[in-house]
Amino acid sequence: VTSFALGLPAEELFPRRAYGLALRNVLSTDPQALQYGPSSASLRENVVELMRRRGVQCDRDEVFLTSGAQQGLSLLARLLLSPGASILTEHHVYPGFQQAVQPFEPRYHTVPTDRAAGIDVDAVEHVLRRFRPAFIYVNPEGHNPLSVSMSMEARSRLAAMASEYGVPIVEDDVYGFLRYEGPDQPPMSALSRGHVFYVGSFSKTLAPALRVGWLIVPRELVPILSVLKESTDLDTGTLTQRALAAYLDRNDFAGHITRVCRAYRVRRDAMAAALRRHFGPRARWRSPTHGVFIWLDLEGDVDGRLLLERALDSARIAFVPSEAFAVPGGPQQRNGLRLNFSHCTPAAIRDGIARLAQVLDEV
Ligand SMILES: Cc1ncc(COP(=O)(O)O)c(C=O)c1O
């Protein structure tokens, strides 16, 4: 079946043994591993190296470790928003982001997303000419839920606009390392560091259970973020940080990402082939270059929520219908579906898509 899972790496892809060895080593050699402690300088160095591979030059004082990207989003919301402030997003937005900003009850200005090139940058400029939102939220690669990656032109124009209008961008790049084809395009943080706050995570490449993510921000913001973070969890788990740093120091993480991408590419292609075979002209969709989702725009007036109920009941298939991604006051789409391809085996994906097509026949 296709799954609700937000791209959990498949069981066999998590390098349990290597991580276990690193964990054991830290426990037996590092007397501070079980204490409260400052964020791991060695893990921040590792993040600097990862970011360099992504085309972003930063140093470890600009890396702020978080308990997952989700905490990064919450902290940025607390840093940048006051109650009732306005923010600029696309019509379809990752629900976890909406939860992160919800305490501030923000006003959303939303713009459409081109299914091939990403956020509609002309529409962004139109909003910025009239309003001054607190920030712009984007997923440059493997957008959740639409799975589109922004064109280089869109990135350059948006990064330039952020500095021209003095409006920061929150660049949520959790899927940026999961690339299956196409050029390795740098995130916007590589183009305009001062105005773009980068959000990264080990959840999609290693394991969400680690709960380790990071922000790349101007260094003067780090002490402010530290105070905000302290009030929520004091610290990202010291033990996990140190074990992760030891794992990254001793293992070929680039090779690991290549293996993960290879496995996910097979799953993506299995889903694409099954969609071609069973859906034909009943849905519009694109095979994504990044991420873990395929987005379907169904033809006609199909209600995604109703389809989900039927699919769960009669075929044990789960997906997320488009209405889950609509923001308060923004436009609602009813006939869109987000399918996840990273979680299931290719055989389960083929079977699941065939069964989903059958359910669609019956609604
Ligand atoms: C776009 C996006 N941002 C952030 C997150 C949260 O990631 P983490 O597990 O690092 O908190 C997710 C998780 O699915 C996501 O899809």
Side-chain angles (χ1 to χ4, degrees), residues 41-60:
S42 155
L43 184 53
R44 284 184 285 126
E45 282 297 350
N46 275 292
V47 170
V48 167
E49 174 53 25
L50 270 179
M51 293 310 299
R52 196 187 57 69
R53 277 199 244 131
R54 206 68 191 84
V56 177
Q57 303 295 334
C58 58
D59 67 48
R60 71 180 192 197

Side-chain angles (χ1 to χ4, degrees), residues 310-328:
R310 299 276 164 82
L312 284 170
D313 264 7
S314 60
R316 295 188 52 248
I317 306 283
F319 57 82
V320 185
S322 42
E323 71 180 63
F325 305 100
V327 303

Side-chain angles (χ1 to χ4, degrees), residues 5-7 66-73 93-97 137-139 141-145 172-175 199-204 207-209 211-214 292-293 338:
L6 289 170
T66 57
S67 298
Q70 189 62 29
Q71 188 187 46
L73 294 174
V93 183
Y94 162 55
F97 170 80
Y137 172 70
V138 278
N139 296 165
E141 307 286 12
H143 183 282
N144 185 358
D172 181 347
D173 191 41
V174 296
Y175 299 107
V199 183
S201 177
F202 286 102
S203 288
K204 313 300 174 183
R211 307 309 305 137
V212 180
W214 67 90
V292 295
F293 306 117
R338 190 195 74 179

Side-chain angles (χ1 to χ4, degrees), residues 164-283:
E164 186 187 338
Y165 289 90
V167 174
I169 294 176
V170 172
E171 179 171 46
D172 181 347
D173 191 41
V174 296
Y175 299 107
F177 291 90
L178 298 181
R179 179 167 66 94
Y180 311 119
E181 63 188 53
D184 196 357
Q185 305 187 116
M188 280 171 282
S189 312
L191 309 172
S192 170
R193 281 295 308 289
H195 284 88
V196 185
F197 301 158
Y198 182 96
V199 183
S201 177
F202 286 102
S203 288
K204 313 300 174 183
T205 48
L206 210 44
L210 297 171
R211 307 309 305 137
V212 180
W214 67 90
L215 301 175
I216 309 292
V217 291
R219 73 192 65 225
E220 58 275 15
L221 292 180
V222 167
I224 306 172
L225 286 166
S226 302
V227 172
L228 292 175
K229 181 171 161 63
E230 248 177 66
S231 74
T232 65
D233 66 352
L234 292 183
D235 243 343
T236 297
T238 314
L239 179 60
T240 311
Q241 286 184 48
R242 291 175 189 220
L244 183 51
Y247 162 78
L248 294 169
D249 284 345
R250 282 151 210 234
N251 292 277
D252 172 17
F253 191 52
H256 166 76
I257 292 178
T258 305
R259 281 192 296 283
V260 171
C261 289
R262 200 180 299 137
Y264 286 177
R265 190 184 297 117
V266 170
R267 290 166 187 223
R268 177 201 68 166
D269 291 347
M271 186 172 275
L275 285 169
R276 272 193 296 275
R277 174 150 181 229
H278 297 288
F279 275 68
R282 289 187 292 173

